[in-house]
Amino acid sequence: MADQAQPALKIVILETSDVHGFIVPYSYADGTKLDSGLARLAEVIRKERELAKEEEGAEVLLIDNGDCLQGSPLTYYQAKVDDSLPSAVLECMNYLRYDAAVPGNHEFNFGLDYLRRARAGSKFPWLSANIISERTGEPWFGTPYRIWELAGGVRVALLGLTTSYIPNWEQAEHIAGIQFDDPVETARRWVPYLRQQEEADLVIVSYHGGLERDPESGEPTEPQTGENRGYALCTEVPGIDVLLTGHQHRLLEGLEISGVSVVQPSSEGKYLGKVTVTLHKQHGVWMVVRKQSELRSCEDQAADFEILGRVAPAEEALQEWLDQPIGEVRGEMQIADTALARREKHPFVEWLNKVQLEVSGAELSCTSLFDEQAAGFGSTITMRDIITNYKYPNTLRVLKLCGADIKAALERSAAYFTLDPEGNIVVNPEFLYPKPQHFNYDMWEGIEYVLDISRPLGERVTRLLRNGVPMKPEEEFNVVMNNYRAGGGGDYFMFRDKPVVRDIPADMVEVLADYVRKTGVIDPVLTPSWSVTAGSRSKVL
């Protein structure tokens, strides 16, 4: 029973994750209203804090779970074009009085100097126990955890962890001198310390990573690469009360795994994660007696005027930059249907690959349409068009690959498709859930190939030619691709540890913009060289 003299205490944990620099509630592509962004989410945070005040003794913690500093045109502009103004994202987070943040994988995309400046401009600590300085052996961010002593002497611990898969994606110079330890092994060391040495009554783990298994069955839901370890944290590390997750952009609420309350609030500021913990004091010791995780949508919420005002100078400069014309198109390069453009060769995709070939000197190239916002080019090309179509700060890398590697990569891409019961070619649900992964389907230039989706996985490449001649497994080629793919990102394991012929350090947005400026006028070309079929049942949807 609870001590008669001590009432129950409620602690409300609010989580943002994968905001990706989206603050204002409209689309950078066309200006349409969006029910997302930190400006709208700020109103949800304010209401949750007011609600907590109404409940006697309720305490509120606001945590960011990573990937806040990269992903929008605004963050790109401030990192790569004009850094004269303070980071708009951090201005907003400081204003909202965040209590802590955990770095995500995308925090490293703009390099360590950018990340150091971000830390210096933050009025809250960055926590990650498994990101380690190779020089000192200590956490690179300085502090692995934070302790709060709240009303009644309740001690709350927050341990920060980050997916250790970052070296498979990130440019080497962006993580120089840093090692990424396994988050589960790290938690096994730190959670007992927090319980015993720090005498924590409540242990929260904020992990920028997701769930690798189905929370009910425990069955794997993805290749067990170590990218996501949330399920293992819940089942293999005793002493965790709450797990804040992210990275997968999922909507997770009301979930418990091995007694650990789990939440994940999607991405781009669409939702706020909330975990309410109730503690009672029993025999002089605070005990967790109830936990509930839920999500709060920012749909139809008014945007916070203070936040809009704080980001206005950076937004005005950004909008002027985005609308600068840099070239023209003589012909058709607009993408009316992204799904069709992934099944049938499109002039815009061919152009992307040919730019990569020209700037790299490679023989073959592969690229992706990253998401459904990729619209191609109209008659006038602006920076807005470039950055909308190419949203990631990738660079290019040329690898030495053999024919067998290329065929294996095509088979991986072919897994993007499946057939529905009527025989229509559709996107494989594994590439849609738990988050869309259109960026993990590649289209190639310099080879001729056919993918037959009616055939079993691993046997779908029915034609593979180079200059009209069948490609031999042992033949070697220089192949250009983005650095994410070259590191094996997207489960393209056949690319890992292959000889690097050349690195092109310029950001792809810069590469594309410079190419357009130099060319002036683009004449679209469409040279059919690949197809996606369903054999004799060749329908598409």
Side-chain angles (χ1 to χ4, degrees), residues 449-494:
Y449 61 92
V450 175
L451 306 180
D452 184 351
I453 310 307
S454 69
R455 297 175 62 84
L457 289 172
E459 302 176 15
R460 291 179 168 181
V461 180
T462 58
R463 177 183 174 90
L464 178 54
L465 309 176
R466 166 69 171 164
N467 295 328
V469 178
M471 182 178 289
K472 297 177 182 179
E474 68 277 6
E475 280 186 277
E476 291 189 331
F477 303 91
N478 291 341
V479 183
V480 62
M481 62 192 72
N482 67 57
N483 61 290
Y484 169 79
R485 186 70 78 240
D491 298 334
Y492 283 78
F493 304 119
M494 69 294 299

Side-chain angles (χ1 to χ4, degrees), residues 399-413 442 444 481 485-499:
L399 301 183
K400 178 73 72 176
L401 302 176
C402 67
D405 298 324
I406 294 167
K407 184 174 185 296
L410 288 169
E411 291 289 358
R412 169 59 183 159
S413 283
D442 288 340
W444 288 66
M481 62 192 72
R485 186 70 78 240
D491 298 334
Y492 283 78
F493 304 119
M494 69 294 299
F495 294 155
R496 286 188 186 171
D497 302 319
K498 290 297 163 48

Side-chain angles (χ1 to χ4, degrees), residues 47-215:
K47 289 180 178 179
E48 289 297 331
R49 281 175 167 153
E50 289 181 352
L51 180 63
K53 284 182 182 178
E54 296 172 3
E55 300 187 27
E56 186 177 354
E59 303 271 4
V60 179
L61 299 176
L62 177 59
I63 315 298
D64 185 77
N65 190 59
D67 281 4
C68 64
L69 296 176
Q70 179 279 337
S72 69
L74 178 60
T75 55
Y76 178 89
Y77 178 79
Q78 290 205 287
K80 305 289 287 187
V81 180
D82 183 0
D83 64 357
S84 61
L85 293 173
S87 165
V89 174
L90 293 178
E91 283 275 291
C92 295
M93 293 176 71
N94 288 338
Y95 162 72
L96 289 170
R97 307 192 315 277
Y98 273 77
D99 293 288
V102 172
N105 51 295
H106 285 291
E107 257 67 73
F108 293 89
N109 285 171
F110 296 129
L112 294 181
D113 287 343
Y114 176 82
L115 191 47
R116 289 187 182 98
R117 291 196 302 272
R119 289 174 58 198
S122 303
K123 295 181 179 180
F124 47 85
W126 290 78
L127 313 176
S128 187
N130 68 311
I131 297 180
I132 305 299
S133 166
E134 292 178 346
R135 182 178 62 84
T136 66
E138 299 295 325
W140 191 86
F141 284 86
T143 311
Y145 66 88
R146 185 174 181 182
I147 298 287
W148 293 268
E149 186 160 327
L150 305 179
V154 171
R155 290 177 64 80
V156 177
L158 173 69
L159 179 68
L161 296 170
T162 305
T163 175
S164 59
Y165 208 62
I166 291 173
N168 293 284
W169 304 314
E170 194 53 74
Q171 298 179 60
E173 61 268 27
H174 288 177
I175 54 174
I178 298 175
Q179 69 185 44
F180 297 84
D181 290 350
D182 178 74
V184 176
E185 293 302 318
T186 302
R188 284 197 182 106
R189 296 195 304 272
W190 281 107
V191 171
Y193 178 88
L194 295 174
R195 287 289 186 186
Q196 297 161 18
Q197 303 301 316
E198 292 286 4
E199 299 180 339
D201 301 298
L202 175 68
V203 173
I204 308 162
V205 172
S206 185
Y207 166 55
H208 187 82
L211 303 183
E212 71 280 26
R213 296 178 180 270
D214 182 274

Side-chain angles (χ1 to χ4, degrees), residues 52 184 201 234 274 322 415:
V184 176
D201 301 298
C234 293
K274 178 183 179 181
L322 286 175

Side-chain angles (χ1 to χ4, degrees), residues 11-34:
I11 298 173
V12 177
I13 307 153
L14 303 179
E15 178 207 10
T16 56
S17 190
D18 300 272
V19 173
H20 284 292
F22 284 91
I23 301 173
V24 294
Y26 56 77
S27 167
Y28 285 107
D30 57 19
T32 55
K33 171 187 171 183
L34 297 175

